Each structure stands twice: as structure tokens, then as C-alpha cells.
Amino acid sequence: MTLKQRKPAGKALFITLLTAFLASGTAWVSSSQRAPAENTAADVLSIGGSVTEIVYALDQDHRLVARDTTSTYPEAANDLPDVGYMRALSAEGVLSVSPALILSEEGAGPPETIAALEAVAIPFVTIPDAYDADGVIAKVLAVGDALGVADKASVLAAGIEAQFDAVAAQIATDATAKKVMFILSTQGGRILAAGKGTSAAGIITMAGGVNAMQGFDGYKPVTDEAVVAAAPDVVLMMDRSGDHAVEDAELFAMPALLPTPAAENQSIVRMNGLYLLGFGPRTAQAVLDLNRALYGG
């Protein structure tokens, strides 16, 4: 496992953070002295829901000093201090929990915050994402390596691989795979959908479906015409509450969805976001649950 290199912060920011860091009285290890395979750091900050799940699955949760907002499973993780959303971290918030090691999913930021943290020599290990079974296995092994528990990670990875194999044998599909459209948001009356290269597209494919939106990468707003042309058989969404919630009747009354097979059959699947899209230790079961929701069984 190699540490991701980033450009250093500006001089003024570096001096400010270094002063705050030294005042905390914490002794930090420079990146040149680190050996991730032997890391025994007791104060670990975990950023990203799947990374936190893996830390718990490796029985290393006693080393956690804090987590980010996306880290909501297992329930015990919610008792840890929360340093904020992984894509909108502040250096001050992270420094306040005095981590000796930061483990993070790809995409943490903003870049200036990460650069500022590395300027004060906090070990920062980025765990790569890939949206398939091999990606989950690689993620587990990477976290284990960073924590210095490679043997435990190998055992966990082998168990997860066996789960994926067992699920693959149980996957059912119709003669024609269902077209599934993942909707991230409908705020402002605009549908924000998942295209290629997303965790949503990955889980849909693994569950025996076809991602209905193929013309773009990432999560993007789509036109009514594009949704009608995609003709999804099923809508897939995260199970949300509050401002992000939308009732089935309201959803299927939207002009973009009204003419689709999904609306005609009132076909929608809602699942917990971290469980569905996290690509962590529970993903094999999530694949099976989604497959059963799509095809029965």
C-alpha cells in the first residue's frame, strides 16, 4: 500500500496548522518513517462508510478516535466523534481529534484540506474504490495492510469472496435483464441519475440488472427526454427521509417517468444508501437482496 502524494499547502496555512499541531502536544511520525505493514497507531480516523465498516469487521474498532458523517454502520460507529462530510472536511475539525493515522476512501476533500493535513505529517492512506467483487476484496486487503493486520484482512477477504461466490450461484434473472435507473435526487424537479462508472451502476450489474442510463459517466442531471428514451423497468433509490425524501406517487407523476414501464408498474426499490452503494463487507448480501427485489425469490 502506498501513500497518496499531494501538493503541500501554502506557507501561511502550513504555519497556522503547524502551530496548532505543536500546541496539541501530540507526537507525529513523518511519512518517511512510516511502515504501513507494521502500523500500530492507536488513534485512527476513518473517512468513508465502507472503510469504517472494514475497520470494525477486522476487530480494530478499539483504535478508532473519530469517523466522518458517512460512517453510520455498525451502530457503534455513531458514538464516535464526527469530523464532517468526507468531501467537505476542515483541517481544524480533523486536527481536533488528534489522529495518528487517517484511512480514507477515494474522494475525500477538499484538496486544500488534505494538503494541509499532510503538511503537518499526518499519515494519510487512501483506500482505492472499484465497484465489483474484486474491488471489495482489494479494499479489505488495503485497510488491513494500512492497519498492520494483513493476516486478519486475508481471512476476512477470503470469507467475503466465498460469500460473493455463493451469491453468484443464487442470482436469478429474467430472460431479458431488467433496465434499472438509479435516481440520486429529484430536487428542483430535476432527476439526478447514475451513469456509467458509478457504484450504482456496479451494484445493478452485479445484481443481474442493466443500468438504464448508459450515455454518460458519473451522476448527472438528465432530461425528461433521456429518461423516456431509457424506458427503465425499475427505479432504484436510497431509502431517505427529510428533505431528500420523495413519495412513490410524486415520483411517478414526474413527466420524465410517467410514460416509463417503471411508472406503469409502480416498480421501485429503495435500500439503505451505505448498504447498497458502500462496496464493503456487506455488499454480497446487498447484491442478493437487490436481485430478489428485482426478480423475486
Side-chain angles (χ1 to χ4, degrees):
M1 184 67 191
T2 58
L3 300 181
K4 191 172 182 180
Q5 301 296 318
R6 293 182 174 85
K7 296 181 180 179
K11 183 176 180 181
L13 181 56
F14 171 79
I15 292 173
T16 299
L17 290 172
L18 182 58
T19 300
F21 158 72
L22 291 174
S24 71
T26 307
W28 300 96
V29 181
S30 70
S31 59
S32 63
Q33 296 171 306
R34 292 195 301 273
E38 301 174 359
N39 201 320
T40 58
D43 296 327
V44 178
L45 167 59
S46 181
I47 298 173
S50 68
V51 170
T52 302
E53 283 194 44
I54 293 168
V55 173
Y56 274 87
L58 290 171
D59 294 323
Q60 298 300 300
D61 49 286
H62 60 282
R63 296 165 63 178
L64 290 175
V65 67
R67 49 97 186 187
D68 78 309
T69 301
T70 71
S71 298
T72 58
Y73 185 91
E75 183 62 31
N78 294 290
D79 295 331
L80 292 166
D82 183 352
V83 299
Y85 179 53
M86 65 173 290
R87 303 188 195 281
L89 299 170
S90 71
E92 294 83 359
V94 171
L95 287 172
S96 72
V97 298
S98 300
L101 172 67
I102 300 174
L103 298 182
S104 176
E105 289 180 5
E106 284 184 316
E112 55 268 26
T113 294
I114 307 306
L117 295 173
E118 292 188 337
V120 292
I122 300 177
F124 192 108
V125 180
T126 297
I127 307 300
D129 262 332
Y131 306 127
D132 54 24
D134 288 342
V136 174
I137 300 302
K139 192 184 294 188
V140 168
L141 295 175
V143 172
D145 184 53
L147 291 174
V149 290
D151 289 346
K152 282 189 174 184
S154 294
V155 173
L156 177 61
I160 291 173
E161 185 174 18
Q163 291 173 18
F164 276 118
D165 290 342
V167 165
Q170 299 178 62
I171 289 295
T173 59
D174 285 345
T176 301
K178 291 187 178 182
K179 292 189 292 183
V180 182
M181 183 171 70
F182 178 82
I183 297 178
L184 183 63
S185 161
T186 60
Q187 287 188 315
R190 293 290 303 276
I191 290 177
L192 185 64
K196 297 182 295 182
T198 59
S199 55
I203 201 77
I204 289 168
T205 300
M206 292 174 73
V210 174
N211 184 26
M213 308 305 295
Q214 296 288 329
F216 59 90
D217 294 328
Y219 296 91
K220 294 183 179 179
V222 291
T223 64
D224 291 0
E225 293 77 13
V227 175
V228 172
D233 299 303
V234 182
V235 169
L236 177 62
M237 297 186 75
M238 291 188 287
D239 192 4
R240 287 174 158 179
S241 58
D243 294 340
H244 294 285
V246 56
E247 298 294 331
D248 291 1
E250 180 184 353
L251 178 72
F252 288 127
M254 295 181 70
L257 285 170
L258 191 58
T260 67
E264 181 180 352
N265 298 311
Q266 296 289 292
S267 184
I268 183 169
V269 176
R270 299 178 190 265
M271 295 175 65
N272 176 272
L274 180 57
Y275 180 59
L276 178 68
L277 305 177
F279 281 82
R282 299 179 292 158
T283 295
Q285 185 60 49
V287 168
L288 184 58
D289 287 350
L290 178 56
N291 173 262
R292 289 172 173 170
L294 294 176
Y295 300 108

Coordinates of all heavy atoms in Angstrom, one line a residue, residues 142-201:
A142 N -6.4 -3.7 1.5 CA -5.7 -2.4 1.7 C -5.8 -1.8 3.1 O -4.9 -1.3 3.7 CB -6.2 -1.4 0.6
V143 N -7.0 -1.9 3.6 CA -7.3 -1.4 5.0 C -6.5 -2.3 6.0 O -5.8 -1.8 6.9 CB -8.8 -1.5 5.4 CG1 -9.0 -1.2 6.9 CG2 -9.5 -0.5 4.5
G144 N -6.5 -3.6 5.8 CA -5.7 -4.5 6.7 C -4.2 -4.1 6.6 O -3.5 -4.1 7.7
D145 N -3.7 -3.9 5.4 CA -2.3 -3.5 5.3 C -2.0 -2.2 6.0 O -1.0 -2.1 6.7 CB -1.9 -3.4 3.8 CG -0.5 -3.2 3.6 OD1 0.4 -3.9 4.1 OD2 -0.1 -2.2 2.8
A146 N -2.8 -1.2 5.8 CA -2.6 0.1 6.4 C -2.6 0.0 8.0 O -1.9 0.7 8.6 CB -3.6 1.1 5.9
L147 N -3.4 -0.9 8.5 CA -3.6 -1.1 9.9 C -2.6 -2.1 10.5 O -2.5 -2.2 11.7 CB -5.0 -1.5 10.3 CG -6.1 -0.5 10.1 CD1 -7.5 -1.1 10.4 CD2 -5.9 0.7 11.0
G148 N -1.8 -2.7 9.7 CA -0.8 -3.7 10.1 C -1.4 -5.0 10.6 O -0.9 -5.7 11.4
V149 N -2.6 -5.3 10.0 CA -3.3 -6.6 10.3 C -3.6 -7.4 9.1 O -4.7 -7.8 8.8 CB -4.5 -6.4 11.2 CG1 -4.2 -5.9 12.6 CG2 -5.5 -5.4 10.5
A150 N -2.5 -7.5 8.2 CA -2.7 -8.2 6.9 C -3.3 -9.6 7.0 O -4.1 -10.0 6.2 CB -1.4 -8.1 6.2
D151 N -2.8 -10.3 8.1 CA -3.3 -11.7 8.2 C -4.8 -11.7 8.5 O -5.5 -12.5 7.9 CB -2.6 -12.4 9.4 CG -1.1 -12.7 9.0 OD1 -0.8 -12.6 7.8 OD2 -0.3 -13.0 9.9
K152 N -5.3 -10.9 9.3 CA -6.7 -10.8 9.6 C -7.5 -10.4 8.4 O -8.6 -10.9 8.1 CB -7.0 -9.8 10.7 CG -6.7 -10.3 12.1 CD -7.3 -9.3 13.2 CE -7.1 -9.9 14.6 NZ -7.7 -9.0 15.6
A153 N -6.9 -9.4 7.6 CA -7.6 -9.0 6.4 C -7.7 -10.1 5.4 O -8.7 -10.2 4.6 CB -6.8 -7.8 5.8
S154 N -6.7 -10.9 5.3 CA -6.7 -12.1 4.3 C -7.8 -13.0 4.7 O -8.5 -13.5 3.8 CB -5.3 -12.8 4.3 OG -4.3 -12.0 3.8
V155 N -8.0 -13.3 6.0 CA -9.1 -14.2 6.4 C -10.4 -13.6 6.1 O -11.3 -14.2 5.6 CB -9.0 -14.5 7.9 CG1 -10.2 -15.3 8.4 CG2 -7.7 -15.3 8.2
L156 N -10.6 -12.3 6.4 CA -11.9 -11.6 6.1 C -12.1 -11.6 4.6 O -13.2 -11.8 4.2 CB -11.8 -10.2 6.7 CG -13.0 -9.3 6.4 CD1 -14.3 -9.9 7.0 CD2 -12.8 -7.9 6.9
A157 N -11.1 -11.3 3.8 CA -11.3 -11.2 2.4 C -11.7 -12.6 1.8 O -12.5 -12.6 0.9 CB -10.0 -10.7 1.7
A158 N -11.1 -13.6 2.3 CA -11.5 -15.0 1.8 C -12.9 -15.3 2.1 O -13.6 -15.9 1.3 CB -10.5 -16.0 2.5
G159 N -13.4 -14.9 3.3 CA -14.8 -15.1 3.7 C -15.7 -14.3 2.8 O -16.8 -14.8 2.4
I160 N -15.4 -13.1 2.5 CA -16.2 -12.2 1.6 C -16.2 -12.8 0.2 O -17.3 -12.8 -0.5 CB -15.7 -10.8 1.7 CG1 -15.9 -10.2 3.0 CG2 -16.4 -10.0 0.6 CD1 -15.3 -8.8 3.2
E161 N -15.1 -13.3 -0.3 CA -15.0 -13.9 -1.6 C -15.9 -15.1 -1.7 O -16.6 -15.3 -2.7 CB -13.6 -14.3 -1.9 CG -13.4 -14.8 -3.3 CD -12.0 -15.0 -3.7 OE1 -11.1 -15.1 -2.8 OE2 -11.7 -15.1 -4.9
A162 N -15.9 -15.9 -0.6 CA -16.8 -17.1 -0.6 C -18.3 -16.6 -0.6 O -19.1 -17.3 -1.3 CB -16.6 -17.9 0.7
Q163 N -18.6 -15.5 0.1 CA -20.0 -15.0 0.0 C -20.4 -14.6 -1.4 O -21.5 -14.9 -1.8 CB -20.1 -13.8 1.0 CG -20.0 -14.2 2.5 CD -20.0 -12.9 3.3 OE1 -20.3 -11.8 2.9 NE2 -19.5 -13.1 4.6
F164 N -19.5 -13.9 -2.1 CA -19.8 -13.5 -3.5 C -20.0 -14.7 -4.3 O -20.9 -14.7 -5.2 CB -18.6 -12.6 -4.0 CG -18.7 -11.2 -3.6 CD1 -17.7 -10.6 -2.9 CD2 -19.8 -10.4 -4.1 CE1 -17.8 -9.2 -2.5 CE2 -19.9 -9.0 -3.7 CZ -18.9 -8.5 -3.0
D165 N -19.2 -15.7 -4.2 CA -19.3 -17.0 -5.0 C -20.7 -17.6 -4.7 O -21.4 -18.1 -5.6 CB -18.2 -18.0 -4.6 CG -16.9 -17.5 -5.2 OD1 -16.8 -16.6 -6.0 OD2 -15.8 -18.0 -4.7
A166 N -21.1 -17.6 -3.4 CA -22.4 -18.2 -3.1 C -23.5 -17.4 -3.6 O -24.5 -18.0 -4.1 CB -22.5 -18.3 -1.5
V167 N -23.4 -16.1 -3.6 CA -24.5 -15.2 -4.1 C -24.6 -15.4 -5.6 O -25.7 -15.4 -6.2 CB -24.2 -13.8 -3.7 CG1 -25.1 -12.8 -4.5 CG2 -24.5 -13.5 -2.2
A168 N -23.4 -15.5 -6.3 CA -23.4 -15.6 -7.8 C -24.2 -16.9 -8.2 O -24.9 -16.9 -9.2 CB -22.0 -15.7 -8.3
A169 N -24.2 -17.9 -7.4 CA -24.9 -19.1 -7.7 C -26.4 -19.0 -7.4 O -27.2 -19.8 -7.9 CB -24.3 -20.3 -6.8
Q170 N -26.8 -18.0 -6.7 CA -28.2 -17.8 -6.3 C -28.9 -16.7 -7.2 O -30.1 -16.6 -7.1 CB -28.3 -17.4 -4.9 CG -27.8 -18.4 -3.9 CD -28.0 -18.0 -2.4 OE1 -29.1 -17.7 -2.0 NE2 -26.8 -17.8 -1.8
I171 N -28.1 -16.0 -7.9 CA -28.6 -14.8 -8.7 C -29.6 -15.4 -9.7 O -29.3 -16.3 -10.5 CB -27.5 -14.1 -9.4 CG1 -26.7 -13.3 -8.4 CG2 -28.0 -13.1 -10.4 CD1 -27.4 -12.2 -7.6
A172 N -30.8 -14.7 -9.8 CA -31.8 -15.1 -10.8 C -32.0 -13.9 -11.7 O -31.9 -12.7 -11.3 CB -33.1 -15.4 -10.1
T173 N -32.3 -14.2 -12.9 CA -32.6 -13.1 -13.9 C -33.8 -13.5 -14.7 O -34.0 -14.7 -14.9 CB -31.4 -12.8 -14.8 OG1 -31.0 -13.9 -15.5 CG2 -30.2 -12.3 -14.0
D174 N -34.5 -12.5 -15.3 CA -35.5 -12.8 -16.3 C -34.8 -13.2 -17.6 O -33.6 -13.0 -17.7 CB -36.4 -11.6 -16.5 CG -37.3 -11.4 -15.3 OD1 -37.5 -12.3 -14.5 OD2 -37.9 -10.3 -15.2
A175 N -35.6 -13.6 -18.5 CA -35.0 -13.9 -19.9 C -34.3 -12.6 -20.4 O -33.3 -12.7 -21.1 CB -36.1 -14.4 -20.8
T176 N -35.0 -11.5 -20.1 CA -34.4 -10.2 -20.5 C -34.1 -9.5 -19.2 O -35.0 -9.2 -18.4 CB -35.4 -9.4 -21.4 OG1 -35.7 -10.2 -22.6 CG2 -34.8 -8.1 -21.8
A177 N -32.9 -9.1 -19.0 CA -32.5 -8.4 -17.8 C -33.3 -7.1 -17.7 O -33.4 -6.4 -18.7 CB -31.0 -8.1 -17.7
K178 N -33.7 -6.7 -16.5 CA -34.4 -5.5 -16.3 C -33.5 -4.3 -16.4 O -32.4 -4.3 -15.9 CB -35.2 -5.5 -14.9 CG -36.3 -6.6 -14.9 CD -37.1 -6.5 -13.6 CE -38.2 -7.5 -13.6 NZ -39.1 -7.4 -12.4
K179 N -34.1 -3.2 -17.0 CA -33.4 -2.0 -17.0 C -33.7 -1.2 -15.7 O -34.9 -0.9 -15.5 CB -33.8 -1.2 -18.3 CG -33.3 -1.8 -19.5 CD -33.5 -0.9 -20.7 CE -35.0 -0.7 -21.0 NZ -35.2 0.2 -22.2
V180 N -32.6 -0.8 -15.0 CA -32.8 -0.2 -13.7 C -32.2 1.2 -13.8 O -31.0 1.4 -14.2 CB -32.1 -1.0 -12.6 CG1 -32.3 -0.3 -11.2 CG2 -32.6 -2.4 -12.6
M181 N -33.0 2.2 -13.3 CA -32.4 3.6 -13.3 C -32.3 4.0 -11.8 O -33.3 4.0 -11.1 CB -33.4 4.6 -14.0 CG -32.8 6.0 -14.0 SD -33.7 7.2 -15.0 CE -35.2 7.3 -14.0
F182 N -31.0 4.3 -11.4 CA -30.8 4.7 -10.1 C -30.9 6.2 -10.1 O -30.3 7.0 -10.8 CB -29.4 4.4 -9.6 CG -29.1 4.9 -8.2 CD1 -29.5 4.2 -7.1 CD2 -28.4 6.1 -8.0 CE1 -29.3 4.7 -5.8 CE2 -28.2 6.6 -6.8 CZ -28.6 5.9 -5.7
I183 N -31.8 6.7 -9.2 CA -32.1 8.2 -9.0 C -31.5 8.6 -7.7 O -31.9 8.2 -6.6 CB -33.6 8.5 -9.1 CG1 -34.1 8.1 -10.5 CG2 -33.8 10.0 -8.8 CD1 -35.6 8.4 -10.6
L184 N -30.5 9.5 -7.8 CA -29.9 10.0 -6.6 C -30.7 11.1 -5.9 O -30.8 11.2 -4.7 CB -28.5 10.6 -6.9 CG -27.6 11.1 -5.7 CD1 -27.3 9.9 -4.8 CD2 -26.3 11.7 -6.3
S185 N -31.4 11.9 -6.8 CA -32.1 13.1 -6.3 C -33.1 13.5 -7.3 O -33.0 13.4 -8.5 CB -31.2 14.2 -5.9 OG -31.8 15.4 -5.8
T186 N -34.2 14.1 -6.8 CA -35.2 14.8 -7.7 C -35.5 16.2 -7.2 O -36.5 16.8 -7.6 CB -36.6 14.0 -7.6 OG1 -37.1 14.0 -6.3 CG2 -36.4 12.6 -8.1
Q187 N -34.5 16.8 -6.5 CA -34.7 18.1 -6.0 C -34.8 19.1 -7.2 O -34.1 19.0 -8.2 CB -33.5 18.5 -5.1 CG -33.6 17.8 -3.7 CD -32.6 18.4 -2.8 OE1 -31.4 18.5 -3.1 NE2 -33.0 18.6 -1.5
G188 N -35.7 20.1 -7.0 CA -35.9 21.1 -8.0 C -36.6 20.5 -9.2 O -36.6 21.2 -10.3
G189 N -37.2 19.3 -9.1 CA -37.9 18.8 -10.2 C -37.0 18.2 -11.3 O -37.5 17.8 -12.4
R190 N -35.7 18.1 -11.0 CA -34.7 17.6 -12.0 C -34.2 16.2 -11.4 O -33.9 16.1 -10.3 CB -33.5 18.5 -12.2 CG -33.8 19.8 -12.9 CD -34.1 19.6 -14.3 NE -33.1 18.9 -15.1 CZ -32.0 19.5 -15.6 NH1 -31.8 20.8 -15.4 NH2 -31.1 18.8 -16.2
I191 N -34.2 15.2 -12.3 CA -33.7 13.9 -11.9 C -32.2 13.9 -12.1 O -31.6 14.1 -13.1 CB -34.3 12.8 -12.8 CG1 -35.8 12.7 -12.4 CG2 -33.6 11.5 -12.6 CD1 -36.6 11.7 -13.3
L192 N -31.5 13.5 -11.0 CA -30.1 13.3 -10.9 C -29.9 11.8 -10.9 O -30.2 11.1 -10.0 CB -29.4 13.9 -9.7 CG -27.9 13.9 -9.6 CD1 -27.3 14.7 -10.7 CD2 -27.5 14.4 -8.2
A193 N -29.3 11.2 -12.0 CA -29.3 9.8 -12.2 C -27.9 9.3 -12.3 O -26.9 10.1 -12.5 CB -30.1 9.4 -13.5
A194 N -27.7 8.0 -12.1 CA -26.4 7.3 -12.2 C -26.1 6.8 -13.6 O -26.8 6.1 -14.2 CB -26.3 6.2 -11.2
G195 N -24.9 7.3 -14.1 CA -24.5 6.8 -15.4 C -23.4 5.7 -15.2 O -23.4 5.0 -14.2
K196 N -22.6 5.6 -16.2 CA -21.5 4.5 -16.1 C -20.4 4.9 -15.1 O -20.3 6.0 -14.7 CB -20.9 4.4 -17.5 CG -21.8 3.9 -18.6 CD -21.2 3.8 -19.9 CE -20.6 5.1 -20.5 NZ -20.0 5.0 -21.8
G197 N -19.7 3.9 -14.6 CA -18.6 4.1 -13.7 C -19.0 4.5 -12.3 O -18.2 5.0 -11.6
T198 N -20.2 4.3 -11.9 CA -20.7 4.6 -10.6 C -20.9 3.4 -9.7 O -21.1 2.3 -10.2 CB -22.0 5.4 -10.7 OG1 -23.0 4.6 -11.3 CG2 -21.8 6.7 -11.5
S199 N -21.0 3.6 -8.4 CA -21.3 2.5 -7.5 C -22.7 2.0 -7.8 O -22.9 0.7 -7.7 CB -21.2 2.9 -6.1 OG -22.0 4.1 -5.8
A200 N -23.6 2.8 -8.2 CA -25.0 2.4 -8.5 C -25.0 1.5 -9.7 O -25.6 0.4 -9.7 CB -25.9 3.6 -8.7
A201 N -24.2 1.9 -10.8 CA -24.1 1.0 -12.0 C -23.5 -0.3 -11.6 O -23.9 -1.4 -12.1 CB -23.3 1.7 -13.1

